Amino acid sequence: MTSVTISGVGITQFESAAGRSILELAATAAKRALDDCELSSSNVTSIHVGNALGTRSGLGNALASTLSMEGVRADRVENTSASGASAAHRGVEAVASGESTVALIVGVEKMSHGETSDVTESISQLVHEREYVQGLTLPSFGGLAASAYLDRYDAPRDALATVAVKNHKNAADNPIAQFREQITLEEALESPVVADPLRLYDCCPMSDGAAALVLSSGDGVKVTSIGSATGTHAVADRTDLLEIESVRTAGERTFDRAGLTPRDVDVACIHDAFTILELLELEELGFYDRGTAWEATLNGETQLEGELPVNPGGGLKARGHPLGATGLSQIIELTWQLRGDLPDNRQVPDATTSFAVNVAGFGNNSVCTLLES
Amino acid sequence: MSESNATPADETIPVDHAFSCENCGHRWYYTRSRCPNCAKNEVETYKLSHGELVVRTEVSMTPPDVRTPNALGLVRFGDLTLIAQLADDVAEVGSRVTFTGEHRLRDGDEFMGPRLTSV
């Protein structure tokens, strides 16, 4: 198998309502990724687009043409909020197998395309049919899981709010982030209730944006391992509400293939669509024992200057969550960290190994990626 | 126990019914195209009796065709667990609950069904 590297990365501003079309967003990120490496568009042999809502069909074909790349293979990957990382997974496989020599991966979403209620309805349909009947939404699962977590581990509500404060702080210095204002613990704790005990600042926003990678076998950050796994469709079908099997399985596959463990990771991007997910996923992946990630968070271990910096770019929570672009934005943040591209106030010193997990739905599917400089 | 024969993926089964495999006896609530234990297709349905409220949430921001707020509970019925709407009288975790009544779970006649109430 050919080793795969990230030769270039590109990303647009993440924002609540972009003034550009979904195709323009995708093309902008793609051109920035190509400008970031020594390869040109004529080197690209495949395009893999991650896009969840499907507001424009044939997006990969339109992108190939607008980039003047007619003739390349192109496809679109849909895996709800993990569409970006799933597109990366497909691209990595294409390069590793020799099917493609240079793969352009583009994740894009324009959630402002329709009415908010329409987008909410579209997202709510990813739940199981018997969950849909009950009016369940992703924040509903977050509220139930947060309530169970705080109760089982006797954790304070401050622990969830601290995740939000940390990620907003990290986004403040990230120029592409949707939210660049820091928040206080009190503001997080007193924001409107979404799904008790989760409040507004515990939840990621809806976003527009695009992100792109150029994958090849040349110079660049090494994609050491990438792995995916599905979980149960219905959340209540799980053995335990606080366990996310897809995260655990994808993580095990990814670490095992690389011969690495969570202890080898210097910096991580964790899918924090809700603050509770950051804690659950850190525990599921083995970064912390069950019931202890909240204490580590309160102790500052996941801060930028902590032992395990988590979501240094602000996470979904504050950088934003344009579904199809999110997984790639995590990989791009980690690429910047490993290349040492960032200013001192953003840079994790001496990072050589990084990890990302991008989650579909409330754990219906997960994609994990390990990168090394 | 058995009330009717059904296909494992039958979406018309009432929300207060679960599935049981005729071959191995395995039970489940969330529709599947075959038994998750033995992969056979022959199933029966049965009405759930009483469960225990394990955890609850009250959702303040709901889809436009769902009540606001929407009180939801994760409930354990023996070895099955499900999430369903709670009636106004269910407040405490640990409460014994059962499905009763005919309520509008979402807008539309196809979404009429029982909610969980305290026993």
Side-chain angles (χ1 to χ4, degrees), chain B residues 2-3 16 20 22 27 34-35 37 69 73-74 85 93 95 103 109 114 116-117:
Chain B
S2 172
E3 291 201 344
D16 56 356
S20 173
E22 287 187 3
R27 300 181 182 193
R34 59 184 187 176
C35 172
N37 186 52
L74 184 138
Q85 292 187 10
V93 167
S95 298
H103 304 276
D109 293 342
L116 291 164
T117 58

Side-chain angles (χ1 to χ4, degrees), chain A:
Chain A
M1 298 287 277
T2 303
S3 62
V4 181
T5 54
I6 299 172
S7 302
V9 298
I11 196 163
T12 70
Q13 183 71 40
F14 282 11
E15 52 196 327
S16 59
R20 288 173 284 185
S21 71
I22 191 168
L23 180 59
E24 290 170 324
L25 286 170
T28 299
K31 284 186 280 191
R32 288 176 181 173
L34 288 163
D35 288 344
D36 187 50
C37 62
E38 295 179 353
L39 298 164
S40 71
S41 58
S42 62
N43 297 114
V44 173
T45 52
S46 67
I47 297 175
H48 310 279
V49 175
N51 174 246
L53 297 178
T55 49
R56 173 166 181 164
S57 59
L59 187 56
N61 308 331
L63 183 62
S65 190
T66 198
L67 294 171
S68 301
M69 293 183 184
E70 290 96 336
V72 302
R73 163 188 163 184
D75 51 31
R76 169 183 161 232
V77 179
E78 189 280 312
N79 185 16
T80 72
S81 45
S83 297
S86 283
H89 196 168
R90 183 171 291 181
V92 168
E93 289 175 334
V95 174
S97 67
E99 183 71 21
S100 178
T101 51
V102 177
L104 173 65
I105 320 299
V106 182
V108 63
E109 209 71 56
K110 192 169 169 66
M111 300 179 77
S112 66
H113 179 78
E115 295 293 325
T116 299
S117 58
D118 293 339
V119 175
T120 303
E121 173 65 14
S122 177
I123 295 170
S124 72
Q125 289 186 8
L126 64 87
V127 303
H128 189 283
E129 294 82 358
R130 294 195 104 176
E131 295 175 326
Y132 180 82
V133 169
Q134 302 293 336
L136 278 159
T137 56
L138 296 183
S140 309
F141 299 128
L144 289 165
S147 182
Y149 187 92
L150 298 181
D151 180 62
R152 185 179 303 178
Y153 300 121
D154 197 25
R157 180 68 187 73
D158 286 9
L160 298 175
T162 299
V163 173
V165 171
K166 168 183 70 72
N167 291 347
H168 275 268
K169 180 183 177 187
N170 290 345
D173 294 317
N174 184 355
I176 65 99
Q178 185 169 347
F179 297 128
R180 298 193 59 193
E181 290 189 7
Q182 295 194 40
I183 61 170
T184 65
L185 197 66
E186 290 69 30
E187 287 171 327
L189 290 169
E190 293 169 8
S191 60
V193 174
V194 172
D196 183 50
L198 293 186
R199 293 171 177 267
L200 185 64
Y201 279 123
D202 289 296
C203 307
C204 67
M206 290 197 286
S207 315
D208 291 354
L213 313 175
V214 177
L215 301 180
S216 74
S217 55
D219 295 336
V221 166
K222 182 182 176 188
V223 182
T224 308
S225 179
I226 186 165
S228 303
T230 51
T232 64
H233 189 190
V235 170
D237 252 350
R238 295 170 194 169
T239 311
D240 186 330
L241 182 63
L242 301 186
E243 295 184 12
I244 310 176
E245 293 167 353
S246 67
V247 170
R248 181 171 66 245
T249 305
E252 287 173 352
R253 287 174 181 166
T254 305
F255 280 113
D256 289 351
R257 284 173 190 161
L260 297 173
T261 74
R263 287 186 295 280
D264 296 308
V265 173
D266 300 311
V267 53
C269 284
I270 303 295
H271 190 100
D272 59 327
F274 307 104
T275 51
I276 182 64
L277 282 178
E278 183 170 309
L279 304 181
L280 294 179
E281 292 164 27
L282 284 170
E283 294 175 9
E284 198 67 77
L285 290 160
F287 287 103
Y288 295 101
D289 292 337
R290 291 203 184 279
T292 65
W294 68 270
E295 288 180 290
T297 299
L298 287 177
N299 291 338
E301 293 179 30
T302 56
Q303 300 269 1
L304 190 62
E305 62 279 5
E307 293 174 28
L308 177 68
V310 173
N311 290 324
L316 286 62
K317 178 70 211 63
R319 179 179 52 227
H321 185 25
L323 307 174
T326 292
L328 300 188
S329 72
Q330 294 177 313
I331 293 172
I332 289 171
E333 171 68 23
L334 296 176
T335 299
W336 288 334
Q337 292 286 351
L338 296 181
R339 295 196 313 202
D341 286 354
L342 298 165
D344 289 346
N345 61 346
R346 287 259 289 121
Q347 182 70 49
V348 175
D350 304 320
T352 60
T353 303
S354 63
F355 176 89
V357 58
N358 188 197
V359 175
F362 204 79
N364 306 130
N365 192 321
S366 297
V367 185
C368 295
T369 310
L370 266 168
L371 306 177
E372 291 179 285
S373 56

Side-chain angles (χ1 to χ4, degrees), chain B residues 1 14 18 20 51 76 100 112:
Chain B
M1 178 189 74
S20 173
R76 187 169 294 128
T100 61
M112 296 296 290

Side-chain angles (χ1 to χ4, degrees), chain B residues 52-95:
Chain B
E52 179 186 341
L53 180 61
V54 177
V55 62
R56 60 169 291 151
T57 187
E58 192 162 287
V59 184
S60 303
M61 298 182 184
T62 62
D65 61 337
V66 176
R67 67 178 177 165
T68 305
N70 190 21
L72 295 164
L74 184 138
V75 176
R76 187 169 294 128
F77 286 88
D79 51 0
L80 299 187
T81 308
L82 59 90
I83 300 171
Q85 292 187 10
L86 302 176
D88 294 339
D89 68 329
V90 185
E92 297 296 324
V93 167
S95 298

